Amino acid sequence: MIKGAAALPVLAQAMLAGTPARARMIKPKRLMPGDTVGIIAPASGVAPETWDRAVRNIESLGFKARIGKNARGRLSFLSATDRERLEDLHWAFSDPDISAVWCVRGGGGAPRLLPDINFALIRKNPKIFIGFSDITALHVAIHQRTGLVTFHGPVASSEYSDYTRKHVKNVLCEPSAPYRVDVSKFNAAKESAYFRTETLRKGKARGRLIGGNLALLTAVAGTPYALGDLKGKLLFIEDVNEPAYRVDRMLTQLRQSCDLRSVEGIALGIFDEGGATPAKTAQPVLDVFRDRLGDLGVPIVYGLSFGHIRDNLTLPYGIEAELDADAATLTYLESAVI
């Protein structure tokens, strides 16, 4: 440690250590019918017809849609330059007429924005921020640096099934607590083994929700935007198109870069390897979970309804929740919005 650092404020000491001090939790305002949603593309872009679907989705939920001025671009695998994508992110949080910030998709490129995000601006203008996949990098960084409760949930261009729509509206617009989330009946009825729930270690656990896409959680490992302190946390993880050996590699990296033994429990989403058929076994990836996570001594369940799937939960970062690994349920013990 730098000489004299003990006399520095707690925040300064935390930054010297490479880990930000824990910010006070801030809950955004709930969405109301007719509110304006800013749609941005902080990672990859989408085709014009996909934009049309995204706007229809937001409007079908009862909101007005406004699109960031740079969001419709397509630059290689990105929607726009880092500066332009960052400009849209800051615009959506700073514009007083916008009540929520909805990402149009994930894809790639979100971690490139992290060093230049104006976290003070976001803390001063707390709003609902929602998306998943590559957006995980933004969730982890924004929540840790500002304390804002953000939402791992469907992007604007997702397929809004009845299940997805119900949980989006219940969590963002009509909050109640406790709020129990069960596995989607559509998922439970699928023949693919990847959609079957399996209790890997029995029990119940309480803690604050944090997590996201496994590839992104490992991508930020070892950076100032890593997961950080996991004590008292319920970790949720999902991914898609990742064979067992890569899931093993990423979980190993998490084990070696953060203290997974301090988590209270682990909720695993759907890890569909892609091209799944009823005959294709999920056993290799389940064996990896048992091997890499089974010794942690905490409740673990596979197959909850979140990830790159049709019926996709909305998971709020930072709120207190309970995981029941035997029943394959999550219960939100407090509302995520005010």
Side-chain angles (χ1 to χ4, degrees):
M1 181 175 286
I2 295 174
K3 185 178 180 180
L8 293 173
V10 173
L11 179 59
Q13 291 186 49
M15 293 304 292
L16 283 172
T19 302
R22 182 181 298 175
R24 177 181 62 86
M25 186 169 69
I26 302 171
K27 295 182 180 181
K29 290 182 180 179
R30 69 186 69 189
L31 276 172
M32 304 292 287
D35 278 351
T36 299
V37 167
I39 309 179
I40 64 172
S44 295
V46 300
E49 58 271 21
T50 305
W51 268 111
D52 294 340
R53 182 174 75 242
V55 171
R56 286 196 303 269
N57 283 340
I58 297 303
E59 291 177 344
S60 74
L61 292 171
F63 312 124
K64 300 173 184 175
R66 284 180 59 189
I67 300 173
K69 73 175 186 178
N70 302 301
R72 287 185 181 272
R74 299 184 78 179
L75 178 68
S76 182
F77 63 90
L78 303 171
S79 66
T81 66
D82 293 354
R83 181 188 61 78
E84 290 169 334
R85 290 180 291 129
L86 197 65
E87 181 183 355
D88 279 2
L89 177 68
H90 291 157
W91 157 77
F93 272 101
S94 63
D95 190 322
D97 294 328
I98 291 176
S99 300
V101 185
W102 220 298
C103 300
V104 71
R105 70 163 291 191
R112 293 167 53 149
L113 305 184
L114 302 184
D116 297 311
I117 291 176
N118 186 339
F119 294 106
L121 170 71
I122 294 174
R123 189 183 305 111
K124 186 178 178 180
N125 300 278
K127 298 177 183 182
I128 287 168
F129 176 78
I130 182 169
F132 77 108
S133 193
D134 204 63
I135 309 305
T136 293
L138 299 176
H139 284 307
V140 174
I142 290 172
H143 180 69
Q144 288 188 353
R145 296 302 176 95
T146 71
L148 179 64
V149 173
T150 64
F151 300 86
H152 181 281
V155 292
S157 61
S158 290
E159 180 179 354
Y160 279 74
S161 66
D162 290 342
Y163 180 90
T164 300
R165 180 184 300 269
K166 178 183 78 171
H167 289 298
V168 162
K169 297 199 78 170
N170 286 352
V171 172
L172 302 185
C173 309
E174 302 164 3
S176 62
Y179 180 70
R180 174 171 157 159
V181 177
D182 296 292
V183 170
S184 142
K185 292 180 180 178
F186 174 83
N187 288 348
K190 290 180 75 70
E191 294 184 37
S192 169
Y194 288 95
F195 285 81
R196 295 177 193 152
T197 60
E198 185 153 348
T199 301
L200 304 182
R201 194 174 191 280
K202 295 182 178 182
K204 292 182 179 180
R206 290 189 176 194
R208 298 202 171 274
L209 286 170
I210 194 166
N213 180 264
L214 179 59
L216 271 296
L217 295 178
T218 56
V220 298
T223 76
Y225 313 99
L227 272 176
D229 183 12
L230 293 176
K231 186 176 181 180
K233 303 290 175 49
L234 286 180
L235 182 64
F236 64 90
I237 310 174
E238 63 82 25
D239 218 317
V240 67
N241 296 331
E242 295 289 0
Y245 78 91
R246 288 210 297 247
V247 173
D248 177 271
R249 179 190 299 156
M250 290 186 284
L251 289 176
T252 298
Q253 184 176 359
L254 278 188
R255 289 180 66 103
Q256 295 175 0
S257 62
C258 61
D259 184 13
L260 279 185
R261 291 189 178 276
S262 64
V263 300
E264 300 296 324
I266 300 177
L268 300 166
I270 304 298
F271 278 70
D272 189 352
E273 194 175 319
T277 65
K280 193 171 184 180
T281 179
Q283 200 59 48
V285 74
L286 291 175
D287 287 344
V288 167
F289 290 135
R290 289 190 180 92
D291 179 64
R292 295 284 72 197
L293 304 175
D295 65 335
L296 300 179
V298 299
I300 305 171
V301 62
Y302 171 84
L304 299 192
S305 298
F306 63 91
H308 290 68
I309 53 177
R310 191 197 78 161
D311 286 9
N312 192 7
L313 284 174
T314 299
L315 293 149
Y317 271 67
I319 69 162
E320 190 79 15
E322 180 179 81
L323 172 68
D324 186 333
D326 303 284
T329 62
L330 268 174
T331 301
Y332 304 161
L333 301 177
E334 60 179 314
S335 64
V337 293
I338 56 176

